[in-house]
Amino acid sequence: MTDFAQSVKQQADIVKIVEGYIRLRKAGATNYSGLCPFHKEKSPSFSVHAVRQFFHCFGCGVSGDVFTFVGKIENVTFPEAVRIVAQKCGIPLPKQEFSSPEHAAEARLRGQLLDLHETAAAWFEEQLRGPEGATAREYLAGRGLTPEGIKRFRIGYSPDSFNALRDRLSGMADPETLRASGLFSQKEQGDGTQGHIYDRFRKRVMFPIANEGGRVIAFTARALETGEKAGAKYINSPETPLYTKGQVLFNLDKAKSVIRQAGFALLVEGQMDCISVFLRGIQNVIATSGTAFTEQQVAILRRHTSNLVVNFDPDAAGANAAEKSIALLTEEGFSIRLVTLDGGLDPDRFIRERGVEAYTAAIRNARPQADYLIERARQQFPGAGAEQKVKAMNFLLPHIRRMPEKLAREQFAADAAQKLGIDSAVLREELRQAALKRRDHVETRAAALTEVERVLLRALAVIDPNDERARRLAADAITKQTAWFEHLAAFQALQALAGRQSRDPMEAVEDDAQRALLAEALLGETRPPSEAEVHGAVQEAEERWIGSQLRQLRADIAEAERRGDFAELAVLTQKKLELDRELRRLHNRRPPEKD
Ligand SMILES: [Zn+2]
């Protein structure tokens, strides 16, 4: 680790950094816990140690320091993780911090692209305020947007020009970087080489898309005119090094803290719906931008909540998107309720026509997904005929099977049978089977550590010089009587810690699996072990070692007897006597058991 990384690590608080991504609850004097962002789970097995500044998941076994966490969750390299943490803590970056030229180039490109997007967003805003933006301003006013709302979402306008934005940005970056930004299009030449670039967005209302940190990384552009000449109603930035479509939830940057407070997120289809709802005070709202949910989006959202109220458009496309999203989210253990608005209105129009109170009431009355799906089944396959009932059931069965909890599945199946009027024993049995099918997965691994290992690991990891004697006792035993400890699962970690130079024990253990064992031991700690406890643990390790030697000897003795090798037998028997005596000695020395 570089000096800079070391100093960032000392200044950063892992609890604060992790809380920027997932919800944490205080779980002990020094621990916080939450749902692991790296595997699916419903009860928290992810812990953060506030004093020792590391995280560990008892479910999937990942562990590490603040950089490991950021690296994993942002999917970036170590230098990039250091940079992100430094930025979050407001620590200025040194000029030379990137280890490899590729990292440096990658980070430089991302930095430049962010700058270009920032400048473009500001420039679009300026254009909207200017004379050319009159029609766009009218359109936005017509949709009920105030100047404050426009400013809040940084809505802008791209003028009817092929080179206005290009001229604005061309001084900021080379042509390659401008191409990579996604803000421009280009014509391919007759000879296959790339032609000049020109403005991608023209005569459109510009909605910036921000990352979770609130920085603009892409745009959605809505045409002001209709007809062939105007092109598609909406166009989006293409994928770029900054922007991957399925990995962004629109408005999450503004909504995330409110989502955590409210305990749920409101999911709408379009950006306009999202903006409209947000500006009227319902701020825990996010949008998927017209697509069904992706797994990455689920993973992002899970960090903030697992309760979702879905309000998609009531048209067929909206219902389909809702069903697809429900399917994925259900599988991922989300609890989902659905809003259906009166009069077939979308959220934007509903809230403008009926007011925010009516909308809030609609959210409060959102139906559980089972009710919603049963209703959908009845709408799609109306009538009391047997054939219709079978079709309705076939629509519902996959949804039932996806639910992770057995009780919920049984309830769903029972409701479906009742509401669809299914009286056939065969169909009822089918429903019952669907409810039985999915097995709830076990989420927490059994602890891999014995008490001996726990005590020794904790003794070796002490930071306080007052506990130095206990530490030295453990370290000496492990260094001098290595054989006693070799069979322990955490042997490598024990050995690394016994000889550790660095102050942070988590850094002394390099192997991931071994570090996970150490994390497991340290997370459960309340106080450092006493000398007597360490002594007891060492003794127990010795006893176990003797026990395993004795088992081996007995097998060897039996083998020597079988062969009739009496010389060998005499040697082995003598050894066994010595070990028996040693074991008795250990037992006698031991203080009487307390319970
Ligand atoms: Zn995990």
Side-chain angles (χ1 to χ4, degrees), residues 36-41 45-46 57-62:
C36 178
F38 307 119
H39 85 280
K40 295 176 197 174
E41 63 175 3
S45 47
F46 181 88
C57 174
F58 289 94
C60 65
V62 292

Side-chain angles (χ1 to χ4, degrees), residues 166 179 185-189 194-198:
R166 187 187 64 197
R179 261 181 239 279
S185 302
Q186 63 199 15
K187 278 232 163 56
E188 208 166 286
Q189 310 282 70
Q194 289 170 327
H196 286 298
I197 59 169
Y198 59 90

Side-chain angles (χ1 to χ4, degrees), residues 308-344:
L308 210 55
V309 173
V310 178
N311 183 189
F312 280 3
D313 291 354
D315 59 11
N320 279 334
E323 266 153 41
K324 270 194 201 143
S325 299
I326 293 172
L328 180 62
L329 289 158
T330 307
E331 232 164 34
E332 302 281 334
F334 275 72
S335 124
I336 301 154
R337 290 181 303 136
L338 291 104
V339 178
T340 325
L341 298 172
D342 286 349

